[in-house]
DNA sequence: AACGTAACGGACGCATGCGTCCACTTGCCG
DNA sequence: CGGCAAGTGGACGCATGCGTCCGTTACGTT
């Protein structure tokens, strides 16, 4: 179907993709098509011919990440230990998102005009919901945890992309660890039920006794 | 010292500040000086005369937030219950940051070219460290928690500004609750010591036992 | 009422990003 | 080895943001 590219064209295309991945990861989706072209040592027209839309470029540049995202989620769903599966999904997803400013932007639809990952989001969302229910059925995940909470945690992880790069992974792992500690049911006292995440004001349940 | 402004000038100035606060809160620091001027129904020159630099405008627009930030921290330090003080600081800081995209940007130096809150950051940082030590001395906060972890949590909260506005406060409170649950020391088994947040690779301590 | 000046906003020149067009280059096939 | 279509990158026109200049308006004072 697709015409076979001439070898120099193929090379340029690959360089463009490499540049895009690099810049997207470092600086998010706000990088300019021009910047990518410059980095790839290519004229703007070449870039636009191969990828007429930024969306096209983003989709292809993040193909690996999308695959990994699927792996993470399906691995989690397949883990014989529901709790470990859940924890791994949380940690690995956070790591993936924190490493890749651009991917987070894309997946969270931070720039709806540029990319639409709605389809992927919905599919993975279903699987994650399954994982959540499974972990709760096993009595390990607090029963008031809902899918929206997962999204909230991912959103939070997005903020961590701002952490200084050298210590970022460590920070993310640490953050994930704290978070997970807050999500597991207490070893002794079974936690009381509480309402869902979104929708009600400050009069809602107070999930954390402070006294 | 400062010349008394003419009444119309004073009005315009106030309108500019109102517009700036509104736009900064909603869309972060990336809003244009022009946009602010337009919203305030004022020419660009007027805006620039009153606030020659975006930094000037930001500093004055966020004066209230800076004050509240101080209140939060000093309130926390003054609370007779060290743990409650710590929890309040976490929750209120997260709420403040999530409500105000622009303030978060400013405080986290997301746009270092535009604003420099270094001074404020350092002062508040010292107080927060005190709060942390106090909560730990009381045996309520996990002993491996360090100031950098606090920053990490704030960074995470920054991501929550992306949550849909109507449910944001609820989401933030919920997030804070989970987080706090993960930070308190377990009721029964005293937690083991662990290393500090930043600096070491994946071989570091695993603060959360998963099995 | 008249005047001097603070205050105003439109307009300018510069920079940058956008997507497209086109004259030149170059790989590939006969 | 020659021709041609695929491929290329520079340049263009448009849009927008920036900070500044300057002729006009109108406040407040005398």
């Amino acid at each position: 179907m697709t015409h076979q590219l001439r070898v120099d064209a193929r090379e340029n295309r690959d360089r463009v993709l490499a540049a895009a991945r690099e810049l997207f990861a470092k600086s998010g989706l706000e990088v300019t098509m021009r910047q990518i072209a410059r980095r790839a040592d290519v004229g703007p027209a070449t870039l636009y011919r191969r990828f007429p839309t930024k969306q096209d470029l983003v989709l292809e540049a993040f193909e690996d990440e999308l695959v990994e995202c699927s792996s993470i989620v399906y691995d989690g769903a397949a883990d014989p230990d529901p709790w470990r599966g859940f924890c791994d999904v949380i940690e690995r997803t956070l790591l993936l998102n924190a490493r890749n400013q651009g991917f987070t932007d894309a997946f969270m639809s931070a720039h709806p005009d540029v990319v639409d990952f709605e389809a992927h989001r919905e599919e993975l969302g279903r699987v994650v919901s399954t994982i959540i229910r499974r972990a709760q059925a096993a009595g390990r995940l607090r029963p008031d945890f809902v899918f929206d909470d997962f999204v909230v945690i991912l959103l939070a992880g997005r903020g961590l992309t701002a952490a200084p790069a050298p210590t970022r992974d460590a920070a993310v792992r640490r953050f994930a660890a704290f978070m997970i500690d807050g999500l597991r049911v207490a070893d002794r006292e079974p936690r009381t039920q509480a309402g869902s995440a979104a929708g009600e004001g400050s009069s809602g349940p107070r999930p954390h006794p402070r006294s």
Side-chain angles (χ1 to χ4, degrees), chain A residues 3 5 8 24 71 75 82 89-91 102 110 113 115 125 139 151 156 165 196:
Chain A
H3 268 30
L5 285 178
D8 57 340
F24 281 152
S71 296
D75 282 1
V89 169
I90 292 275
E91 185 181 276
D113 45 318
V115 263
V151 175
S196 83

Side-chain angles (χ1 to χ4, degrees), chain A residues 152-192:
Chain A
V152 166
I153 293 176
L154 252 48
L155 281 176
R158 171 190 151 80
L160 297 186
T161 55
T167 65
R168 184 159 53 218
D169 273 18
V172 173
R173 260 186 271 268
R174 196 155 169 89
F175 173 75
F178 291 158
M179 204 67 234
I180 287 172
D181 258 15
L183 297 182
R184 85 145 67 64
V185 316
D187 287 332
R188 296 284 165 221
E189 31 167 5
R191 210 165 291 277
T192 65

Side-chain angles (χ1 to χ4, degrees), chain A residues 73-193:
Chain A
V73 170
Y74 284 108
D75 282 1
D79 195 311
D81 179 342
W83 175 244
R84 194 179 55 193
F86 174 80
C87 292
D88 283 349
V89 169
I90 292 275
E91 185 181 276
R92 290 175 65 193
T93 308
L94 281 174
L95 278 170
L96 176 62
N97 277 269
R99 257 195 277 262
N100 223 310
Q101 171 84 53
F103 181 66
T104 303
D105 285 357
F107 203 75
M108 291 303 178
S109 301
H111 302 240
D113 45 318
V114 177
V115 263
D116 178 18
F117 276 23
E118 200 50 43
H120 305 276
R121 265 240 305 279
E122 209 207 322
E123 180 209 341
L124 295 182
R126 260 197 307 275
V127 182
V128 170
S129 294
T130 306
I131 297 176
I132 292 174
R133 276 192 295 274
R134 220 166 56 104
Q136 285 169 332
R140 310 290 272 110
L141 175 61
R142 52 192 303 165
D144 61 335
F145 189 87
V146 295
F147 178 68
D148 280 353
D149 292 329
F150 181 77
V151 175
V152 166
I153 293 176
L154 252 48
L155 281 176
R158 171 190 151 80
L160 297 186
T161 55
T167 65
R168 184 159 53 218
D169 273 18
V172 173
R173 260 186 271 268
R174 196 155 169 89
F175 173 75
F178 291 158
M179 204 67 234
I180 287 172
D181 258 15
L183 297 182
R184 85 145 67 64
V185 316
D187 287 332
R188 296 284 165 221
E189 31 167 5
R191 210 165 291 277
T192 65
Q193 308 277 114

Side-chain angles (χ1 to χ4, degrees), chain A residues 28-86:
Chain A
L29 291 192
E30 65 191 81
V31 293
T32 297
M33 293 291 262
R34 236 51 163 222
Q35 287 175 290
I36 297 171
R38 275 197 292 268
R39 168 67 76 118
D41 222 358
V42 149
T46 302
L47 173 52
Y48 278 109
R49 189 159 356 92
R50 295 296 162 234
F51 307 96
T53 283
K54 204 170 187 175
Q55 157 111 350
D56 299 321
L57 182 54
V58 170
L59 276 178
E60 192 143 348
F62 286 148
E63 208 182 336
D64 292 356
E65 278 77 5
L66 278 174
V67 170
E68 188 182 342
C69 211
S70 286
S71 296
I72 292 174
V73 170
Y74 284 108
D75 282 1
D79 195 311
D81 179 342
W83 175 244
R84 194 179 55 193
F86 174 80

